[in-house]
Amino acid sequence: AQSVTQLDSQVPVFEEAPVELRCNYSSSVSVYLFWYVQYPNQGLQLLLKYLSGSTLVKGINGFEAEFNKSQTSFHLRKPSVHISDTAEYFCAVSDDGTDKLIFGTGTRLQVFP
Amino acid sequence: GAVVSQHPSRVICKSGTSVKIECRSLDFQATTMFWYRQFPKQSLMLMATSNEGSKATYEQGVEKDKFLINHASLTLSTLTVTSAHPEDSSFYICSARGRPGKEPQHFGDGTRLSIL
């Protein structure tokens, strides 16, 4: 079965600094990869997705992620964070042909002034 | 973009009460809806998958008689927590998707359920 590992439970960073949130998944023939953001007491909002094609995916709010098949990774990056980026970030994977999303345990990004 | 509305956002009720949570897709037809449970500072755990007009598929360890799911139309699914107890207190989130496969899931804002 698929699994997703988010190695960092918390990432503190100062405003305007770059950030990378790490995500690794268990290998599969074909996967779809997603990053979601969750603000306090809210549902999840899709940041970006990788289905096929270019390995560099650009999403909303200035975020991007790179699919690396050899390293089975899908790390999320932003060159300059804002206070408003403080939230919980979840990486998720689904197998080609299945309906289910498997979520990582989440990374709490906290941006300090 | 695709909007999913979840209602109510917060419920506080006595032990033994049954609670119904609604999940609606507002601007698309959701062939599949998903129900998740999220404990504090933890990830989302899939409880069940429901397809319009058919019985829900529950994940292992989820009591189908405890968590009743109905997906009667392409825009509405409901989760009923029957005879709720304090251990059922949690954050419940629904999501909906139009076409299977590559279509991403769109999430509601969640329901905070507190059983006293």
Side-chain angles (χ1 to χ4, degrees):
Chain A
Q2 276 286 357
S3 65
V4 179
T5 303
Q6 290 182 249
L7 291 170
D8 306 303
S9 59
Q10 293 186 64
V11 173
V13 64
F14 287 110
E15 194 173 20
E16 297 183 7
V19 71
E20 178 180 84
L21 306 184
R22 296 181 292 171
C23 173
N24 289 88
Y25 62 94
S26 58
S27 180
S28 179
V29 175
S30 180
V31 294
Y32 303 143
L33 294 155
F34 307 84
W35 274 99
Y36 286 88
V37 60
Q38 184 180 34
Y39 299 101
N41 295 310
Q42 292 187 26
L44 275 66
Q45 181 181 5
L46 181 67
L47 276 178
L48 48 80
K49 61 187 178 188
Y50 171 78
L51 304 179
S52 64
S54 173
T55 57
L56 184 62
V57 181
K58 293 191 183 298
I60 63 171
N61 300 344
F63 284 94
E64 64 180 33
E66 186 160 14
F67 170 62
N68 188 318
K69 189 173 182 179
S70 62
Q71 297 186 6
T72 60
S73 68
F74 190 56
H75 301 331
L76 181 71
R77 301 188 185 99
K78 185 168 182 177
S80 175
V81 294
H82 301 290
I83 298 286
S84 59
D85 292 322
T86 295
E88 191 83 20
Y89 291 79
F90 290 97
C91 180
V93 62
S94 69
D95 281 326
D96 184 14
T98 73
D99 287 340
K100 298 180 185 179
L101 272 179
I102 307 300
F103 285 90
T105 50
T107 297
R108 169 92 177 143
L109 175 64
Q110 185 137 20
V111 181
F112 294 94
Chain B
V3 178
V4 175
S5 173
Q6 190 171 338
H7 179 80
S9 58
R10 178 179 283 272
V11 179
I12 302 172
C13 57
K14 294 180 180 178
S15 184
T17 307
S18 291
V19 178
K20 180 184 281 189
I21 303 169
E22 292 187 350
C23 181
R24 293 179 185 273
S25 57
L26 298 185
D27 52 359
F28 68 102
Q29 292 187 323
T31 55
T32 307
M33 286 188 170
F34 304 84
W35 288 95
Y36 295 86
R37 184 171 179 176
Q38 186 179 30
F39 291 100
K41 299 187 187 299
Q42 294 188 28
S43 189
L44 281 73
M45 300 300 295
L46 180 65
M47 298 173 66
T49 303
S50 74
N51 292 295
E52 185 264 339
S54 60
K55 288 184 179 180
T57 302
Y58 289 81
E59 295 299 301
Q60 191 172 6
V62 178
E63 300 175 61
K64 62 178 71 174
D65 295 331
K66 174 77 170 176
F67 299 99
L68 301 178
I69 292 172
N70 184 280
H71 191 166
S73 77
L74 283 171
T75 59
L76 174 65
S77 176
T78 61
L79 167 68
T80 301
V81 184
T82 61
S83 187
H85 292 287
E87 60 266 27
D88 299 322
S89 298
S90 191
F91 193 55
Y92 293 87
I93 307 176
C94 74
S95 71
R97 187 178 62 210
R99 295 172 297 143
K102 297 182 179 182
E103 182 84 11
Q105 295 181 25
H106 303 282
F107 286 79
D109 278 342
T111 297
R112 174 73 60 192
L113 176 62
S114 301
I115 309 298
L116 305 178

